[in-house]
Amino acid sequence: MRIKFLLYIFPFFLFLSTATAQKVGLVLSGGGARGAAHIGVIKALEENNVPIDYITGTSIGAIVGSLYAMGYSPDEMLELMLSDEFGHWQTGIVKNEYVYYYKKPEDTPQFMHFSLNLRDSVLFDGLIPGSIMNPIQMNQAFMELYAQATAKAAWNFDNLFVPFRCMGADVYGKKAITFRNGDLGDAVRVSMTFPFVFKPIWKDGVPLFDGGIYDNFPIKAMKEDFNPDFILGSAVRGGGLKPSENPMNQIETMIMQKTEYVVPEEDGMLIEMRLPDVFLLDFYKAKEVMQIGYDRAMAIMDTIKARAGREVHVEEVMERRRVYRESLPPLRFKNIYVTGVNDEQRHYITAQLTRNIDGEFTMEEFRRAYFKMLTYSKIKEIIPSAIYNWKNKTFDLYLSVKIKDELKVSIGGNISSHQANQLFLGLGYQSLGETSADYNANFQMGNSFSGVSLDGRFFPFARIPGYIGLKLAYSNENYSQSQSLFYEDVVPAFIKKRERFIRVRYGFPFLTRSRVELFAGLGALTDFYYQTPSFADLDFDASRYNLFNTGLRFERNSLNYRQYPTEGRRQYLTAQYILGDENYRAGGSKYFSDVRKHKWFYIKGSWQNFPVMKRKFNLGLMGEAVFSSGKEFSNNYTASILRASSFTPTPHSKLSFNEAFCADNYVAAGIIPLVKITDILHLRFEAYGFVPLREIQKEVIDGKYKARYEDYFRSYQYMGEAALVLQLPFVSVSLYANGYSYPKDNYNFGLNIGYLIFDSGFFD
């Protein structure tokens, strides 16, 4: 009878003991990359069966805490922190597979730009950036990361896998804000929005920032909202009392108010870690920092377990985590709502999103459309939100779009120790309505190249994306024999080339990093030159060409720098048919004569490849070939060689006319060994060989210099260059030395600060 009675009352006592078992709360401080130590603490707790019933966090503590609160394991959190995606959130770098190269305008030598706001009272925008990190990656990534957990929790953070709170800062109200509900992604974004590093998150007309400004250790929120029986605090801090020379640490010291990292003895315990060698954004150290947190927790684990007073086996936690993750609604979208734009713009954006999509669509499909819309676009920012539609069992996609109505002003060029000083000014404007368009005006002035170009591209909506473009250009190129160092002799140019042309084109993407253009153009090209080394003549000889060309161009480009690349690949192929007439004028004469008709077919292809530079050494390769069919010589040798294709693989070779590297048909190849010194400094060696199919030779007939072809493969030339290159975020600095096989003893060295990039010509 007594045994039967005990069996009846045992479940009651079991329920009573469970109901009165101690609850454990975990408080995680802010601290940037040092917060990876929190992951180590959580890992140690799980392995030792210490439960985590509630969690609060600030900044990086909010990130780690929210990930755990929605079912991430410690190993999964570390994997995410070390992933390329996590790095892209910080830098704003878009992966190559999402960069739509067909929308990219031509490269220019710009090294800075700012915007003239055409509507806002703030005239200048971009002179002082509002943040270091571009939010383009984080906007879409946080929606993807947190949308499902937000939906399952019905916007209540108590309904997550582990109840959760995080902190934000209202700098206008000068107070801390506790986030208990709403969009989990938005709450975490606010909590980690460190001033000047990230743009503020606006709520109800108020910019919100990193919660660590007012509360970097949210034990108060833990007590007020959850009141657990035992609180374990994990606090990470930087250096000691000695000031840091690291700029980010200095900003952190200025902005963050003093925080007391204290857990009263009667409430629980504190694990405090000082990490003086880990700075705010050193997330690449996450694994070693996590291990520090793990070791510190394990060192006092017996005390933690005794104070917690309750165990939950890790297998049980893992099973609950699995069930929770499997119950999350799939991230699929159906309805789209766009705000912040007019009706025409809304129609354009919606059409771009739904292009080639019928019905529901996935996050991957949205991501591709998202980056496509933001690539070289009038759209300044898209802030996406996903709200679960319980009726349709899909997510509704809300897009808050910011449009920029501004004139972009670009400044650049090159400062050189020789005759390559250039000044560049660019103006750009974009429009967005039923269609999208961009307009650019570029101006260049310098010793070697001067010109102006007007370029417009229109992007009509079509099933297959593409653009229609129109370009007008005028340019002058000068070549002289002076390449002095740090001073310039007054030496007249012995060759001048003038181009005027108009070109229409239709371009469309081929995959994401390639584009194809069909084009047609009319050009008036004039070459001024001396046919003898002596400049005693009073005037230049001149050859004038009136030409029409049409053809296609294919280009693929993933090079990481506009000049002196170290990684990536570029493939270029153009095929065109040219016809027109030539007129010749002798020096001192006022009139052109000797009209000749020309027509020929021309193909040029080039290839460069630099593997990903994972070690200190890398080897780049390049190749180039030109084939011309039906091309005839011009009036004289000099005119013929000037209109031949030239091989100019280095910045210096583009400035110096070298007849030995000109031919109507040739093949060329090069090797480019690279030695990485730091992330932004490298040493490069370039060696190139050039083989004309038939060299263009000079011969004298009736006292005149004429051109003729040499026999096949009778000559070759070579050039080499060594350069120390510093790639700063805004400019390239290079110290170089080079040599050419022709003419004899042709060696050069110098310094360039900027970019030797010139506007494209009629045949480019």
Side-chain angles (χ1 to χ4, degrees):
M1 188 71 178
R2 182 178 298 174
I3 294 174
K4 191 174 182 180
F5 173 74
L6 291 174
L7 290 174
Y8 276 118
I9 66 172
F10 178 75
F12 172 75
F13 282 112
L14 183 63
F15 170 78
L16 186 63
S17 65
T18 303
T20 58
Q22 287 203 126
K23 295 291 186 178
V24 177
L26 180 63
V27 180
L28 306 178
S29 76
R34 308 178 196 104
H38 299 324
I39 302 176
V41 171
I42 294 173
K43 183 178 177 67
L45 296 177
E46 276 202 353
E47 290 179 355
N48 287 273
N49 303 325
V50 177
I52 300 174
D53 298 297
Y54 313 107
I55 199 162
T56 62
T58 296
S59 195
I60 187 63
I63 296 176
V64 173
S66 65
L67 290 173
Y68 190 79
M70 60 184 193
Y72 274 67
S73 70
D75 289 341
E76 288 172 329
M77 287 189 279
L78 178 63
E79 182 181 0
L80 177 62
M81 196 170 286
L82 291 173
S83 68
D84 291 340
E85 285 73 15
F86 194 87
H88 294 157
W89 299 355
Q90 303 167 59
T91 61
I93 293 174
V94 179
K95 293 168 65 175
N96 282 342
E97 61 188 285
Y98 300 119
V99 176
Y100 290 86
Y101 182 72
Y102 89 97
K103 295 181 70 176
K104 183 180 183 297
E106 291 185 22
D107 281 338
T108 69
Q110 76 163 56
F111 49 76
M112 67 167 292
H113 72 267
F114 59 92
S115 299
L116 299 176
N117 202 312
L118 301 182
R119 294 191 179 183
D120 202 299
S121 58
V122 180
L123 180 61
F124 294 96
D125 186 21
L127 288 174
I128 302 176
S131 62
I132 297 174
M133 304 305 180
N134 187 333
I136 181 174
Q137 277 280 8
M138 198 169 289
N139 287 346
Q140 59 87 27
F142 266 56
M143 182 189 72
E144 178 182 13
L145 188 63
Y146 290 102
Q148 294 164 280
T150 299
K152 181 172 175 57
W155 295 55
N156 185 340
F157 298 171
D158 287 342
N159 298 332
L160 295 167
F161 175 69
V162 175
F164 171 73
R165 299 289 186 269
C166 66
M167 309 303 296
D170 175 0
V171 294
Y172 280 81
K174 301 188 182 308
K175 61 182 180 180
I177 300 172
T178 302
F179 288 98
R180 302 176 173 88
N181 47 50
D183 187 299
L184 181 60
D186 286 352
V188 176
R189 279 287 297 275
V190 169
S191 190
M192 59 164 286
T193 300
F194 192 82
F196 304 117
V197 177
F198 300 107
K199 294 176 61 177
I201 307 300
W202 289 77
K203 294 290 183 183
D204 301 322
V206 177
L208 303 180
F209 287 94
D210 192 307
I213 295 175
Y214 298 119
D215 189 355
N216 203 39
F217 187 66
I219 188 172
K220 181 180 178 182
M222 176 64 75
K223 289 182 176 181
E224 291 179 350
D225 282 34
F226 300 124
N227 193 27
D229 302 288
F230 173 68
I231 297 174
L232 179 64
S234 177
V236 292
R237 305 177 70 175
L241 301 176
K242 190 175 181 180
S244 171
E245 295 183 0
N246 184 279
M248 294 308 301
N249 276 17
Q250 293 172 2
I251 294 175
E252 183 181 14
T253 302
M254 286 187 289
I255 291 174
M256 298 300 184
Q257 296 189 9
K258 186 177 181 180
T259 298
E260 296 293 335
Y261 299 98
V262 175
V263 178
E265 176 65 26
E266 65 273 15
D267 294 327
M269 298 173 58
L270 174 68
I271 302 174
E272 186 173 14
M273 293 161 277
R274 285 193 178 273
L275 304 166
D277 297 327
V278 181
F279 299 124
L280 202 65
L281 302 177
D282 288 350
F283 287 100
Y284 66 93
K285 298 180 179 179
K287 188 173 183 178
E288 59 186 87
V289 174
M290 186 203 77
Q291 189 63 42
I292 293 172
Y294 179 85
D295 293 341
R296 292 294 296 273
M298 290 298 293
I300 58 172
M301 186 53 66
D302 290 343
T303 306
I304 294 174
K305 292 175 71 173
R307 294 289 306 272
R310 167 171 149 257
E311 289 191 357
V312 175
H313 288 283
V314 65
E315 292 80 7
E316 180 183 338
V317 175
M318 291 172 62
E319 177 61 19
R320 284 182 51 237
R321 182 180 290 132
R322 182 190 65 80
V323 172
Y324 174 84
R325 297 276 288 271
E326 289 180 355
S327 69
L328 296 174
L331 190 58
R332 296 189 63 84
F333 304 98
K334 188 173 183 180
N335 300 319
I336 302 173
Y337 302 94
V338 182
T339 60
V341 295
N342 60 39
D343 290 340
E344 288 185 347
Q345 293 167 341
R346 183 179 296 108
H347 179 267
Y348 175 85
I349 293 169
T350 304
Q352 292 294 317
L353 278 170
T354 56
R355 188 200 305 264
N356 302 322
I357 293 176
D358 187 15
E360 297 179 10
F361 56 98
T362 64
M363 182 65 199
E364 177 62 20
E365 289 173 312
F366 166 69
R367 187 184 294 110
R368 291 189 177 278
Y370 169 85
F371 286 121
K372 188 179 293 184
M373 285 189 294
L374 287 169
T375 300
Y376 310 106
S377 170
K378 188 179 177 68
I379 299 174
K380 187 173 186 177
E381 187 177 9
I382 298 175
I383 303 175
S385 300
I387 299 178
Y388 193 62
N389 188 319
W390 292 93
K391 181 180 179 181
N392 296 332
K393 304 300 181 184
T394 59
F395 284 85
D396 291 338
L397 184 60
Y398 289 81
L399 303 178
S400 176
V401 179
K402 296 181 180 180
I403 300 293
K404 52 188 177 186
D405 191 14
E406 57 194 24
L407 182 68
K408 178 183 174 182
V409 181
S410 304
I411 298 173
N414 190 71
I415 301 171
S416 175
S417 61
H418 55 82
Q419 290 184 331
N421 294 303
Q422 295 288 134
L423 177 64
F424 168 81
L425 173 66
L427 303 175
Y429 181 76
Q430 295 172 313
S431 66
L432 179 63
E434 287 290 343
T435 62
S436 174
D438 58 59
Y439 311 91
N440 291 283
N442 294 329
F443 306 87
Q444 285 184 266
M445 182 174 65
N447 308 77
S448 300
F449 182 92
S450 297
V452 58
S453 67
L454 304 175
D455 193 1
R457 294 190 302 172
F458 307 88
F459 299 84
F461 177 76
R463 196 69 177 175
I464 299 176
Y467 61 83
I468 299 170
L470 176 67
K471 179 175 181 177
L472 292 86
Y474 175 87
S475 66
N476 283 300
E477 291 182 78
N478 297 324
Y479 299 96
S480 70
Q481 294 179 333
S482 174
Q483 295 293 331
S484 54
L485 182 65
F486 294 114
Y487 67 90
E488 294 184 1
D489 299 326
V490 182
V491 177
F494 71 97
I495 295 173
K496 296 183 179 181
K497 302 177 75 171
R498 177 188 300 161
E499 288 193 358
R500 292 169 290 174
F501 67 85
I502 180 172
R503 177 188 295 141
V504 294
R505 62 195 192 275
Y506 170 67
F508 56 90
F510 182 77
L511 303 178
T512 56
R513 296 293 292 174
S514 309
R515 69 178 168 204
V516 177
E517 277 191 353
L518 307 176
F519 63 88
L522 293 172
L525 289 63
T526 306
D527 297 336
F528 302 92
Y529 51 88
Y530 292 101
Q531 294 195 56
T532 64
S534 173
F535 296 164
D537 295 332
L538 297 177
D539 199 2
F540 289 95
D541 287 7
S543 294
R544 185 177 63 194
Y545 304 86
N546 297 308
L547 302 175
F548 166 81
N549 70 343
T550 184
L552 64 86
R553 179 183 298 106
F554 166 83
E555 185 169 16
R556 172 184 173 85
N557 194 337
S558 60
L559 297 178
N560 58 341
Y561 297 116
R562 287 171 284 169
Q563 187 170 283
Y564 293 124
T566 59
E567 293 180 3
R569 181 173 61 173
R570 180 178 185 263
Q571 295 164 297
Y572 172 86
L573 177 68
T574 182
Q576 49 188 296
Y577 177 73
I578 305 111
L579 61 89
D581 59 70
E582 170 199 358
N583 296 268
Y584 170 74
R585 186 196 69 191
S589 174
K590 295 182 179 180
Y591 304 103
F592 283 90
S593 60
D594 189 29
V595 178
R596 298 185 180 198
K597 299 292 183 182
H598 291 279
K599 58 180 179 180
W600 72 96
F601 181 69
Y602 164 81
I603 297 178
K604 180 178 180 180
S606 66
W607 170 82
Q608 284 179 285
N609 185 49
F610 296 88
V612 176
M613 200 168 183
K614 294 183 178 180
R615 299 182 297 275
K616 292 292 184 181
F617 177 80
N618 199 9
L619 181 64
L621 300 172
M622 74 86 62
E624 185 171 294
V626 168
F627 172 76
S628 299
S629 177
K631 187 176 183 183
E632 298 180 356
F633 290 127
S634 297
N635 173 273
N636 55 73
Y637 166 79
T638 306
S640 299
I641 205 74
L642 285 174
R643 280 300 144 196
S645 298
S646 57
F647 177 60
T648 57
T650 65
H652 181 269
S653 63
K654 292 177 171 61
L655 299 169
S656 54
F657 179 77
N658 193 326
E659 60 188 290
F661 292 87
C662 297
D664 291 328
N665 300 274
Y666 68 78
V667 292
I671 58 171
I672 310 167
L674 306 173
V675 180
K676 181 179 179 181
I677 301 173
T678 69
D679 287 341
I680 61 173
L681 181 67
H682 76 273
L683 181 64
R684 65 193 292 128
F685 303 91
E686 305 184 40
Y688 301 97
F690 172 84
V691 180
L693 184 63
R694 300 183 71 184
E695 185 182 6
I696 301 175
Q697 291 276 357
K698 182 191 296 184
E699 65 178 358
V700 180
I701 300 177
D702 297 331
K704 296 181 179 180
Y705 295 106
K706 297 294 183 179
R708 67 174 178 84
Y709 283 127
E710 183 60 272
D711 291 338
Y712 288 94
F713 301 111
R714 291 295 300 272
S715 67
Y716 66 90
Q717 303 292 340
Y718 55 86
M719 69 174 77
E721 181 170 287
L724 183 65
V725 181
L726 179 66
Q727 294 283 13
L728 298 174
F730 56 92
V731 74
S732 172
V733 181
S734 58
L735 182 66
Y736 70 88
N738 61 40
Y740 300 83
S741 58
Y742 178 89
K744 185 179 179 181
D745 297 328
N746 186 1
Y747 302 107
N748 309 272
F749 63 98
L751 173 71
N752 285 317
I753 303 173
Y755 300 98
L756 284 169
I757 299 174
F758 305 131
D759 198 11
S760 60
F762 180 72
F763 297 107
D764 295 331

